[in-house]
Amino acid sequence: MPEAPLLSEKPRLRGVLRRTVPFLRPHRGVLAMAIGLGTAATLALTLVPSVVGWAVDRVAGRDGEGLGFAAAAFAGLVLARLILLRSGEIWLAKAGERVVKSLRDLVVSRLATAPLRFLEAQRSGDLLRRSTTEIADLASFVRGDLPDLLSVTGYLLFTTILLLVYSWQLTLVVVLVFLPLSVLVMRWFQRGAGPAFAAEAAAQAAVAATYREGLQAREAIVSRGAEDQWRERFDRDAAEVRKTALRTEFVVLRTGGVTLAQSVADATILVFGGGLVLAWGLPLSTVAVFVVAMRQLFDSTNQLTTLIGQLQTSRTGLARLLDLLDLAERPAGSGRGADVPERGVLEASTVDFQYTAGVPVLTGVSCTFPPGSRTGLVGPTGSGKTTLAKILTGLYPVDGGCVRYAGVPLEEIEPDLLRRRIMLVPQRVHLVAGTLRDNIRLVPDPPPDERIARALEELGLREWAANLPAGLDTPAGDSLSAGERQLVGLIRAALVDPAVLVLDEATADVDPATGDRIERALDRLHAGRSLIVVAHRQSTIDRLPAAVRLESGRVLAGER
C-alpha cells in the first residue's frame, strides 16, 4: 500500500473552474437569476454615455424639451441600475453562500471520514487553514468582489460594442493604442501571479501550523526551556511570510502599467477625435460619448486589475481547498451491511503493515478473537500493540494479509456499520468544548438523558457522575483527569453497544482508584461482546483470560 499522500504547497491551479462546476450545478437557477440581473444593471450603466451624447445634441440644437427628456432618461437609467445591481448582488450572494456552504459541509464530511493515515501525515495547522481560512476568504470574495468582477467584465464588453456602433474609426484607435499595452501589462502580471500567490498561501499555512504546534506543545517547550528555539522557528516562518507577501505586492504593482496605457489612449482620442470633428464633420456628441465611455471604461479596467489580484488569491485558496477534498475522499468500497451479522469472529490473518516504505511495523501477525472473548494485547513499548489495535478496528488498511469480521473483510463493510460493530477507545479520549453531557452524546444517534442515565447505571458510574461539581453539566476540559476521560470513552461505548470493543491502554497513567473504577466498568461492558485491551498494568493483564503477546511486530507463539 502506498504511503499517505501529502498536501502539496503548490496547489493545482489548472482546471480550478472545471473542478468547481459540480458544486455550481445544483445552484444554476439562482446563479442564472443573479447573472441576468447583474447583466441588466451593467447594460443600464453602458447606456449612460449614449444619453450624455443625446443631451449634447439637444444642447447644440437648443432643444430644451429634448434636454429634459435626456435628463429624465439619465435619471431613469441610474435608478434602474441601482435597483437591478442591488437585486443582482443579493441573488449572487445567495448562490455564492450556498456554494460556500456546500464546500464547507463537504470539507467537514471528508475530514470526518478521511483515512487516518492521511490525517496523521498532514500538519494540523495546514489542515486547519485549508478547511477554515480558505473557505472564509472564498466567502468574502463571493460577497464583496465577485459581483464587482462580473459587473466590470460585462461593462467592458458592452462598452466596446457601444463604441463600435458610434464610430469604428475611434474604436480602432482605442483598440490599437490601449489594448496592446494593457495585454502586455496583464501578461506580465499573470506570469508572476501564480507562483507568487501560491508561495504566499503556503508560507501563511506554514506559520499557522508552527503556531498551532507550539501551542499544543507549550508545556514541553516551557518545561525544557526551549522557548528560544521555538521562537526562532516561528520567526523563520514569519520571515518567509513577509518575503512572499512582498513578492506578491511587487507582482500586483505591475498592474499599474495599465494607467499609463489609459493616459496614452485618452490623449490620442482627444487629438484624433477633435481632428475628425473639424475636418470630417464627425458629430461632437460622438466624441462626448467616447470621452465619457472611455472614462468609465478605464475606471472599470483599473477596478478589474485590482479584482484580478483578489481573484488570483481566491483561485489559489480554492485550489488548495479542492486539493484537500480530492485527497481526503474516502476510497469507495462495496458497502456491505445487511449481510454482516451483529456478532461474529474478529480475525487477523498474516497481517503486514508499515508506516514508511521498507520499515515494517507488523509482520505476519495472525490472531483470532471469538465472540464474547476477553483478550489482552501485551508487549514492550514499540512492539506494535496500538498499531494492531487500530488495524483491528479498520482505522488503518493493511499492507498485506487481511482482517475479517464475521468472515467479511473490514474494507468491504460499510464504514458507518463498521463503527457500530467494532469500536476503539483510544489511550487519550478527546473532548470538545461543552459539558460532559455534550461529550457523551458524541455517538451515532445522540441518546436522550434517560439512555445516558441507564448507561451510567450499567457501568456503575452513576455515583461518580453525581459527585462531579455540576454532574453531567460539568464543563469538559482540563478539569477531567486522564482516567475520567477514559470513563467518558467507556460510556460512549456502552451507548454504541459494539460487538467488539478495543481499548488502548485504558488504565495507563491513572491513579489506582480511577483504574479500579475503569476495570469494574470493563467487567460490566464485557457482557455479550468481545473485549480487546491493550494492557499496560499487570493487574489488568491478570484479569484477562487470554493474551496476544507482541514483540518487534510479531506474535510470540505459545505465550500468554
Side-chain angles (χ1 to χ4, degrees):
M1 180 180 62
E3 296 181 32
L6 290 173
L7 291 166
S8 173
E9 294 184 353
K10 297 181 178 180
R12 290 183 293 159
L13 295 176
R14 290 183 179 274
V16 170
L17 181 59
R18 174 181 53 79
R19 296 161 63 196
T20 311
V21 167
F23 304 105
L24 302 177
R25 190 175 293 116
H27 314 290
R28 54 183 176 271
V30 180
L31 282 170
M33 177 63 76
I35 293 173
L37 290 169
T39 301
T42 302
L43 187 58
L45 180 62
T46 305
L47 294 176
V48 167
S50 296
V51 175
V52 172
W54 183 25
V56 169
D57 285 339
R58 301 288 75 75
V59 171
R62 299 183 180 277
D63 182 359
E65 184 178 357
L67 183 61
F69 281 124
F74 184 89
L77 286 175
V78 172
L79 181 60
R81 170 172 168 75
L82 289 175
I83 295 174
L84 291 170
L85 183 61
R86 182 55 181 164
S87 301
E89 288 177 345
I90 291 174
W91 279 88
L92 188 60
K94 288 181 180 179
E97 289 299 328
R98 289 179 182 180
V99 173
V100 170
K101 179 181 182 301
S102 65
L103 285 171
R104 184 181 290 113
D105 291 344
L106 186 57
V107 166
V108 172
S109 175
R110 290 278 173 88
L111 290 180
T113 59
L116 185 59
R117 294 186 72 179
F118 168 77
L119 297 176
E120 292 177 342
Q122 316 305 324
R123 297 187 72 182
S124 59
D126 190 25
L127 284 178
L128 182 64
R129 179 173 178 81
R130 290 183 191 241
S131 57
T132 56
T133 306
E134 308 292 11
I135 293 180
D137 290 345
L138 180 60
S140 177
F141 176 79
V142 167
R143 287 191 297 265
D145 298 325
L146 185 57
D148 292 339
L149 181 62
L150 294 177
S151 177
V152 167
T153 304
Y155 184 77
L156 292 174
L157 175 62
F158 292 149
T159 301
T160 302
I161 296 173
L162 177 71
L163 295 181
L164 282 172
V165 170
Y166 270 87
S167 174
W168 66 267
Q169 297 95 335
L170 290 180
T171 303
L172 184 62
V173 170
V174 174
V175 170
L176 292 178
V177 174
F178 176 69
L179 193 59
L181 291 175
S182 299
V183 169
L184 287 175
V185 169
M186 296 313 298
R187 290 188 64 181
W188 186 33
F189 168 77
Q190 289 292 342
R191 279 199 302 271
F197 282 97
E200 183 180 3
Q204 290 174 343
V207 78
T210 299
Y211 183 75
R212 179 178 175 83
E213 290 164 358
L215 289 179
Q216 292 174 331
R218 61 189 182 279
E219 291 184 4
I221 291 174
V222 173
S223 63
R224 296 169 184 172
E227 296 96 328
D228 290 341
Q229 291 89 329
W230 180 78
R231 190 178 299 110
E232 289 175 3
R233 181 180 177 185
F234 182 82
D235 288 344
R236 285 197 303 269
D237 289 346
E240 185 65 21
V241 171
R242 292 192 296 270
K243 176 182 175 182
T244 56
L246 186 61
R247 177 186 174 190
T248 300
E249 286 302 315
F250 276 118
V251 171
V252 172
L253 285 176
R254 297 178 184 180
T255 59
V258 176
T259 303
L260 176 62
Q262 293 172 3
S263 301
V264 174
D266 274 335
T268 304
I269 284 298
L270 288 175
V271 173
F272 191 72
L276 289 178
V277 171
L278 296 175
W280 300 94
L282 182 73
L284 183 61
S285 60
T286 298
V287 178
V289 169
F290 265 81
V291 171
V292 174
M294 285 180 58
R295 188 70 270 150
Q296 293 180 346
L297 183 68
F298 293 156
D299 288 343
S300 297
T301 304
N302 286 333
Q303 188 178 7
L304 181 62
T305 56
T306 301
L307 291 172
I308 286 176
Q310 297 296 329
L311 176 63
Q312 187 66 39
T313 300
S314 298
R315 178 173 173 241
T316 301
L318 180 58
R320 285 167 52 84
L321 179 61
L322 293 174
D323 287 351
L324 171 61
L325 290 173
D326 290 343
L327 290 179
E329 187 173 8
R330 182 170 58 190
S334 63
R336 294 174 62 176
D339 59 342
V340 178
E342 185 172 345
R343 296 288 188 262
V345 176
L346 179 63
E347 179 182 13
S349 302
T350 61
V351 166
D352 297 329
F353 183 84
Q354 52 190 11
Y355 291 103
T356 304
V359 184
V361 177
L362 297 177
T363 304
V365 171
S366 297
C367 46
T368 303
F369 307 93
S373 61
R374 301 179 65 197
T375 309
L377 295 180
V378 300
T381 300
S383 60
K385 302 186 300 298
T386 297
T387 299
L388 180 57
K390 292 180 178 180
I391 288 174
L392 292 173
T393 54
L395 295 178
Y396 287 159
V398 298
D399 294 317
C402 185
V403 179
R404 294 180 175 85
Y405 174 76
V408 182
L410 296 190
E411 62 271 15
E412 295 182 10
I413 302 177
E414 202 279 322
D416 291 338
L417 178 63
L418 179 60
R419 297 292 163 257
R420 294 175 182 272
R421 294 287 189 268
I422 308 173
M423 182 177 181
L424 171 70
V425 178
Q427 182 175 359
R428 179 173 176 80
V429 175
H430 293 280
L431 303 180
V432 299
T435 65
L436 184 59
R437 190 191 314 275
D438 295 332
N439 279 271
I440 290 174
R441 282 178 170 160
L442 289 178
V443 295
D445 303 323
D449 290 343
E450 295 78 11
R451 179 70 186 92
I452 295 176
R454 286 201 305 272
L456 291 172
E457 189 68 36
E458 292 168 2
L459 296 176
L461 298 176
R462 183 177 57 82
E463 183 179 352
W464 165 77
N467 289 333
L468 293 173
L472 293 181
D473 294 319
T474 300
D478 294 337
S479 60
L480 294 181
S481 67
E484 289 174 322
R485 289 169 178 259
Q486 283 289 334
L487 294 176
V488 173
L490 296 180
I491 298 169
R492 291 172 180 168
L495 293 170
V496 174
D497 189 25
V500 180
L501 179 61
V502 182
L503 296 105
D504 185 4
E505 301 280 11
T507 56
D509 302 323
V510 301
D511 60 273
T514 304
D516 291 339
R517 185 178 287 118
I518 292 174
E519 289 177 351
R520 288 195 300 270
L522 288 178
D523 289 338
R524 299 191 181 202
L525 268 177
H526 170 246
R529 63 174 56 87
S530 301
L531 188 63
I532 303 172
V533 182
V534 177
H536 175 76
R537 295 175 60 180
Q538 188 60 45
S539 60
T540 304
I541 298 174
D542 293 340
R543 296 166 72 100
L544 299 170
V548 174
R549 183 172 295 277
L550 294 172
E551 189 168 319
S552 301
R554 298 177 183 273
V555 174
L556 297 183
E559 292 197 33
R560 185 187 182 283

